[in-house]
Amino acid sequence: GEAELYQELLEAYLAALPADINDVYALEQTDTPAAAQFVHRIKGSSLQIGAEALGAAGQALEDALRGKSSGNIPALTATFIAEYTATVEEAKKLFTT
């Protein structure tokens, strides 16, 4: 049961991810509210599958984009993308095994 359910969650998670995570770089420079929404969506779905590090990186970036905290947005974006990449790679490994 639970392993099968988690497999289904991973499949849905991977299918719902954006085609290009690097879109966040362009959004952060041209449309901050859209960038925050983009990050928020990925953060939320990642937390649902237990990706805590990606959730934390997403929260930090989202807060900076929304002006709730200060921070180096390009550095926070790089951290978010690195966590995203690592999470997707691990999810794909779990999904294929």
Side-chain angles (χ1 to χ4, degrees):
E2 287 183 27
E4 186 176 306
L5 176 60
Y6 192 68
Q7 185 100 4
E8 289 177 26
L9 286 172
L10 283 177
E11 181 178 341
Y13 173 77
L14 291 171
L17 292 175
D20 188 0
I21 188 63
N22 291 311
D23 287 349
V24 75
Y25 282 122
L27 285 174
E28 78 175 23
Q29 295 175 6
T30 61
D31 190 348
T32 303
Q37 184 176 9
F38 181 83
V39 171
H40 178 81
R41 185 175 59 81
I42 295 169
K43 175 196 74 176
S45 61
S46 297
L47 288 171
Q48 288 178 346
I49 65 158
E52 298 292 329
L54 179 53
Q59 188 67 61
L61 177 55
E62 181 183 356
D63 287 349
L65 288 166
R66 294 189 192 278
K68 294 181 180 180
S69 68
S70 61
N72 181 323
I73 291 176
L76 292 169
T77 300
T79 299
F80 176 73
I81 289 175
E83 287 297 339
Y84 172 92
T85 302
T87 299
V88 169
E89 287 175 9
E90 286 302 310
K92 285 180 179 178
K93 285 179 191 174
L94 292 172
F95 182 69
T96 58
T97 56

